[in-house]
Amino acid sequence: MSDQIKFIVDNLNKEPFKKNYNLITFDSLEPMQLLQVLSDVLAEIDPKQVVDIREEMPEQTAKRMLSLLGILKYKPPGNATDMSTFRQGLVIGSKPVIYPVLHWLLQRTNELKKRAYLARFLIKLEVPSEFLQDETVADTNKQYEELMEAFKTLHKECEQLKTSGFSTAEIRRDINAMEEEKDQLIKRVERLKKRVETVQNHQWMLKIARQLRVEKEREEFLAQQKQEQKNQLFHAVQRLQRVQNQLKSMRHAAADAKPESLMKRLEEEIKFNSYMVTEKFPKELENKKKELHFLQKVVSEPAMGHSDLLEIESKISEINTEINQLIEKKMMRNEPIEGNLSLYRQQASIISRKKEAKADELQDAKEKLASLEREVSVKTNQTREFDGTEVLKGDEFKRYVSKLRSKSTVFKKKHQIIAEFKAEFGLLQRTEELLKQRHENVQHQLQTIEEKKGISGYSYTQEELERVSALKSEVDEMKGRTLDDMSEMVKKLNSLVSEKKSALAPVIKDLRQLRQKCQELTQECDEKKSQYDSCAAGLESNRSKLEQEVRGLREECLQEESKYRYTNCMIKNLEVQLRRATDEMKAYVSSDQQEKRKAIRNSGKNKKLYEKVMAQI
């Protein structure tokens, strides 16, 4: 869980979010703030999701996020029973629900951006079937589907062009190069024409060259035809082998079969065909004729009105009552022979219906078998046209599949080895870069220390001495100096080296002490830094808590201020009403008749107003 939170915080601090969180501040976020972070990540994937959570209802927020996560094909951990807890946790901003979603989204942001972009155009709008009955709606829907397919093809072509590596600048360069080549060829042709015109009988020679070119083209065409005929011969030989194999299998099946089984099969086919010809097809033909006669009769009759329909319905009801009466009379007679006959008739009708159903099933199965055989033949012909090989069947296909499996395992192993080598190469490359950088830093530090100690250039002089010694040895080998000269040179160089070492010995001692001091200081610095980080984290958490308290107190202050204003307005309103009531009481109590008439109570028009005022008082 800590690795997951660390990954989320690292990615949120990068572009394009720039949240500037650490582990403590991120873990101390409130549910609304956590939901806002999730909404910001979704808005980066789909720009339509740019919403402030505080201005949106919780149900709308959950619905919006769930729909987008469904489009992005996010699968919550757990089974179907955990889906309700997932939705509830998304509504309330639960950390165990939102952390995995953020981790999944930040892992594959670029892929999800592409998926969200494609979903805008490729999620099909489901139109109800009753609306598709309208021609304009059906045409619009068809046009919409065609545009969707066109978008798919164009997007695929665009992706292929992006991955192919071609660019407009390269194409323009190729076009310019081809135009230059064209100009050069035109100039060469003109030069050759001028050169040929000076030769005697150049027209005759050109004619012979043209004939030679035609013959060469004809030779290439004949060679191509020969190759095609060879391929056709190869296909014909394969077809002949296949037919011969089929013939052998048929002969083998015929040799194993007995004449009794063949006669039984033929008798069954004859019975089925005779049943179809004598019983089923005539019945179907008769039914079709009846339907046709009935439809012709309906068409020939004039249009019927509402009264005609009522008459026909009344006749139908009368006939139904007569039928019911006849059935009741028949049941009252209770004839046993008729009862037995009706039972046999029912059984015969059931059997005939079953027979017809089975015949229909057999006919459908035969048609399906024929269609499948046709499809198999078409598919085999297509495969032969593509690569000219026969379709594998049975044991050969199993052997082929086993070979493929073995090759796929070998391929996976080799691919894994290559991946390991690549990873190791990357690590070695990185270590090489780090070592080079460290070497440069050490050289820089050494130069600064030499400058401080006043012995700048010691390392350079040492390298120069080594280089000079190497050059000297090469020069000595080239000139073929004697061993005495070489020993003297070595003595001189050793003496020089010993002098330099003796001069640098105190400096090296001081350098060792300084290195030890540097290690102690770096250790102390690391400790102070860790103390500072922990203190800063605590202060940051306290600051966030104080900000939350201040925000709550500001909201309470605003609420109390609104209440204060409301009570002031109510007091003013009550004062006005009280003033009106006192004026009314003075007018009503006064002895002057004119003032009494002015009172609201005595005027008929303002009686309702008076009642309202008194009710408010």
Side-chain angles (χ1 to χ4, degrees):
M1 191 71 179
S2 60
D3 295 336
Q4 193 180 44
I5 297 171
K6 189 176 179 182
F7 176 78
I8 293 167
V9 170
D10 291 339
N11 281 279
L12 288 175
N13 292 333
K14 294 178 184 176
E15 291 284 344
F17 303 106
K18 291 184 178 179
K19 293 292 183 181
N20 202 8
Y21 288 139
N22 56 29
L23 294 175
I24 296 169
T25 55
F26 181 73
D27 195 49
S28 62
L29 289 176
E30 292 183 355
M32 288 294 290
Q33 294 173 341
L34 198 60
L35 279 173
Q36 186 63 52
V37 171
L38 179 59
S39 180
D40 293 340
V41 175
L42 292 173
E44 179 62 26
I45 292 168
D46 188 4
K48 290 183 179 179
Q49 304 291 323
V50 180
V51 177
D52 192 356
I53 297 293
R54 294 171 293 182
E55 298 175 358
E56 193 178 28
M57 297 296 290
E59 293 81 6
Q60 294 177 354
T61 304
K63 187 177 180 181
R64 175 172 61 82
M65 290 181 179
L66 283 170
S67 63
L68 183 59
L69 289 172
I71 290 168
L72 299 177
K73 296 181 181 177
Y74 174 71
K75 293 181 180 178
N79 50 16
T81 57
D82 296 334
M83 282 300 295
S84 60
T85 58
F86 175 73
R87 291 193 187 93
Q88 188 177 2
L90 195 62
V91 170
I92 64 174
S94 177
K95 292 179 182 178
V97 173
I98 292 177
Y99 283 173
V101 179
L102 283 172
H103 185 261
W104 186 80
L105 291 172
L106 293 170
Q107 270 183 334
R108 45 183 71 82
T109 308
N110 295 324
E111 179 187 349
L112 296 176
K113 279 183 183 178
K114 183 178 177 183
R115 192 176 292 173
Y117 168 74
L118 292 175
R120 242 184 332 180
F121 304 102
L122 296 181
I123 291 177
K124 190 176 179 182
L125 297 173
E126 294 296 333
V127 182
S129 58
E130 57 267 17
F131 293 126
L132 289 174
Q133 301 297 326
D134 191 2
E135 291 182 357
T136 56
V137 176
D139 294 337
T140 308
N141 189 29
K142 188 176 180 182
Q143 189 177 2
Y144 166 68
E145 291 175 354
E146 290 174 355
L147 289 171
M148 190 181 287
E149 294 296 327
F151 174 77
K152 287 180 183 177
T153 55
L154 289 172
H155 182 71
K156 285 180 182 177
E157 290 176 0
C158 180
E159 291 295 326
Q160 287 175 1
L161 288 172
K162 283 180 181 178
T163 55
S164 63
F166 290 112
S167 63
T168 55
E170 291 179 359
I171 293 167
R172 284 174 184 168
R173 284 199 295 271
D174 293 339
I175 290 168
N176 292 328
M178 291 169 74
E179 286 178 353
E180 290 176 359
E181 288 179 1
K182 181 182 176 183
D183 295 336
Q184 290 175 3
L185 288 170
I186 289 168
K187 289 178 183 178
R188 285 180 66 185
V189 169
E190 289 177 355
R191 285 200 301 270
L192 288 170
K193 278 183 180 180
K194 289 178 182 179
R195 194 181 297 170
V196 168
E197 284 176 358
T198 58
V199 179
Q200 294 180 356
N201 299 326
H202 65 278
Q203 293 291 337
W204 179 71
M205 293 175 73
L206 286 171
K207 185 178 179 182
I208 291 170
R210 196 177 296 113
Q211 289 177 359
L212 178 64
R213 189 179 67 252
V214 170
E215 292 296 328
K216 282 185 177 179
E217 289 177 355
R218 188 181 173 193
E219 183 181 1
E220 290 177 357
F221 178 70
L222 290 171
Q224 189 176 1
Q225 276 189 343
K226 184 179 178 182
Q227 187 65 33
E228 289 178 356
Q229 287 178 359
K230 281 183 179 179
N231 293 330
Q232 289 177 0
L233 179 63
F234 178 71
H235 294 326
V237 169
Q238 283 188 343
R239 201 176 295 117
L240 178 62
Q241 289 177 357
R242 187 173 63 257
V243 172
Q244 285 177 353
N245 291 328
Q246 289 179 358
L247 182 62
K248 285 180 182 177
S249 62
M250 294 287 287
R251 284 177 179 172
H252 185 69
D256 292 339
K258 294 180 180 179
E260 290 85 1
S261 61
L262 292 172
M263 288 297 292
K264 273 186 182 179
R265 199 180 304 156
L266 289 171
E267 284 176 359
E268 288 175 358
E269 288 181 0
I270 289 165
K271 284 180 183 179
F272 174 72
N273 292 326
S274 62
Y275 167 73
M276 295 290 286
V277 171
T278 56
E279 294 184 15
K280 189 177 180 192
F281 288 156
K283 283 182 182 178
E284 289 180 356
L285 184 62
E286 190 174 352
N287 293 327
K288 295 291 182 185
K289 284 180 179 178
K290 285 180 181 178
E291 287 180 3
L292 180 63
H293 179 68
F294 178 71
L295 292 171
Q296 286 177 353
K297 188 177 179 182
V298 170
V299 170
S300 62
E301 287 181 356
M304 298 175 69
H306 186 66
S307 59
D308 297 331
L309 290 172
L310 290 172
E311 288 179 2
I312 291 168
E313 286 178 356
S314 62
K315 285 181 182 179
I316 290 168
S317 61
E318 288 175 359
I319 291 166
N320 285 329
T321 52
E322 288 179 2
I323 290 167
N324 291 327
Q325 289 174 2
L326 291 170
I327 289 168
E328 288 176 358
K329 287 179 182 179
K330 187 177 180 182
M331 290 175 70
M332 291 293 289
R333 288 177 186 172
N334 197 8
E335 295 177 355
I337 298 168
E338 283 292 329
N340 293 329
L341 287 173
S342 65
L343 182 63
Y344 293 140
R345 283 172 187 165
Q346 287 177 0
Q347 290 178 356
S349 64
I350 290 166
I351 290 165
S352 63
R353 282 197 296 272
K354 285 183 179 179
K355 194 174 181 181
E356 289 176 359
K358 292 297 179 184
D360 292 334
E361 289 178 2
L362 184 59
Q363 190 69 22
D364 294 336
K366 283 186 176 181
E367 291 176 357
K368 193 180 286 185
L369 180 63
S371 65
L372 290 172
E373 286 177 352
R374 285 195 296 273
E375 286 181 5
V376 168
S377 63
V378 169
K379 296 292 183 185
T380 51
N381 291 328
Q382 287 178 357
T383 51
R384 280 194 224 102
E385 288 175 0
F386 284 140
D387 56 356
T389 57
E390 188 66 30
V391 180
L392 299 175
K393 295 180 181 178
D395 297 333
E396 293 180 356
F397 182 73
K398 288 180 180 177
R399 285 195 293 273
Y400 179 70
V401 169
S402 64
K403 282 183 182 178
L404 279 179
R405 283 176 182 169
S406 62
K407 287 181 179 179
S408 67
T409 54
V410 173
F411 170 74
K412 286 177 182 176
K413 288 179 182 177
K414 299 293 183 185
H415 189 68
Q416 189 176 2
I417 292 166
I418 290 167
E420 290 174 357
F421 283 150
K422 284 182 179 178
E424 191 173 356
F425 174 71
L427 287 170
L428 292 172
Q429 202 169 12
R430 179 63 180 162
T431 51
E432 184 184 1
E433 291 175 359
L434 291 171
L435 289 171
K436 283 181 180 178
Q437 190 176 2
R438 194 178 293 174
H439 177 68
E440 290 175 359
N441 293 329
V442 170
Q443 288 290 332
H444 184 67
Q445 289 176 1
L446 186 61
Q447 287 176 3
T448 54
I449 291 166
E450 286 175 354
E451 288 175 357
K452 285 180 183 178
K453 297 296 180 182
I455 53 169
S456 61
Y458 171 71
S459 60
Y460 176 73
T461 54
Q462 189 173 3
E463 290 175 358
E464 195 68 27
L465 284 170
E466 290 175 357
R467 190 171 64 81
V468 168
S469 64
L471 289 171
K472 281 286 181 183
S473 62
E474 290 178 0
V475 170
D476 292 339
E477 287 176 0
M478 289 172 64
K479 290 183 178 181
R481 288 184 175 182
T482 59
L483 292 170
D484 297 331
D485 295 334
M486 290 175 71
S487 63
E488 288 177 1
M489 184 61 69
V490 169
K491 285 178 183 178
K492 287 180 182 179
L493 290 172
N494 286 328
S495 63
L496 286 170
V497 170
S498 61
E499 287 175 0
K500 292 288 183 182
K501 281 183 179 179
S502 61
L504 287 172
V507 177
I508 291 167
K509 288 180 181 178
D510 295 336
L511 182 63
R512 286 173 183 169
Q513 292 175 359
L514 290 171
R515 280 180 181 171
Q516 190 173 1
K517 273 187 183 179
C518 179
Q519 288 178 358
E520 291 173 356
L521 289 172
T522 51
Q523 189 175 1
E524 188 176 356
C525 179
D526 292 334
E527 291 175 357
K528 297 291 184 183
K529 191 176 180 181
S530 63
Q531 290 175 4
Y532 170 76
D533 290 335
S534 62
C535 183
L539 292 173
E540 186 71 23
S541 62
N542 291 328
R543 187 178 68 82
S544 62
K545 288 178 182 177
L546 290 171
E547 284 179 354
Q548 292 172 6
E549 289 177 2
V550 168
R551 201 179 296 115
L553 291 172
R554 281 180 181 172
E555 290 176 357
E556 288 179 2
C557 183
L558 290 172
Q559 289 175 2
E560 294 296 330
E561 189 176 352
S562 63
K563 285 180 183 179
Y564 171 71
R565 289 176 181 173
Y566 176 72
T567 51
N568 279 334
C569 292
M570 290 296 292
I571 287 165
K572 288 179 181 179
N573 193 5
L574 290 171
E575 286 176 355
V576 170
Q577 290 176 4
L578 184 61
R579 198 180 302 117
R580 284 182 184 175
T582 53
D583 292 339
E584 176 67 20
M585 289 296 292
K586 284 179 183 179
Y588 183 71
V589 174
S590 69
S591 59
D592 194 359
Q593 294 295 327
Q594 289 182 354
E595 288 184 1
K596 276 189 177 183
R597 286 185 192 129
K598 288 179 183 178
I600 298 169
R601 188 174 179 183
N602 292 329
S603 62
K605 293 180 181 178
N606 298 325
K607 194 172 183 181
K608 291 182 180 178
L609 181 62
Y610 172 75
E611 289 175 357
K612 280 185 182 180
V613 171
M614 293 305 291
Q616 288 177 359
I617 293 168

Coordinates of all heavy atoms in Angstrom, one line a residue, residues 75 230 467 566:
K75 N -11.7 -2.7 -14.1 CA -12.3 -3.7 -13.4 C -12.0 -3.6 -11.9 O -10.8 -3.8 -11.5 CB -11.9 -5.1 -13.9 CG -12.3 -5.3 -15.3 CD -11.9 -6.7 -15.8 CE -12.3 -6.9 -17.2 NZ -11.8 -8.3 -17.7
K230 N 3.3 -23.9 -64.3 CA 3.8 -24.8 -63.3 C 3.0 -24.8 -62.0 O 2.8 -25.9 -61.5 CB 5.3 -24.4 -63.0 CG 6.3 -24.8 -64.1 CD 7.7 -24.5 -63.6 CE 8.7 -24.9 -64.7 NZ 10.1 -24.6 -64.3
R467 N 52.6 9.9 -19.3 CA 52.6 9.9 -20.7 C 54.0 10.1 -21.3 O 54.4 9.5 -22.3 CB 51.7 11.1 -21.1 CG 51.4 11.1 -22.6 CD 50.3 12.2 -22.9 NE 50.8 13.5 -22.6 CZ 51.6 14.2 -23.4 NH1 52.0 13.7 -24.6 NH2 52.1 15.4 -23.1
Y566 N -31.2 38.6 8.8 CA -32.6 38.2 8.7 C -33.4 38.6 10.0 O -34.5 39.1 9.8 CB -32.6 36.6 8.6 CG -34.0 36.1 8.6 CD1 -34.9 36.2 7.5 CD2 -34.5 35.4 9.7 CE1 -36.1 35.7 7.5 CE2 -35.8 34.8 9.7 CZ -36.6 35.0 8.6 OH -37.9 34.5 8.6

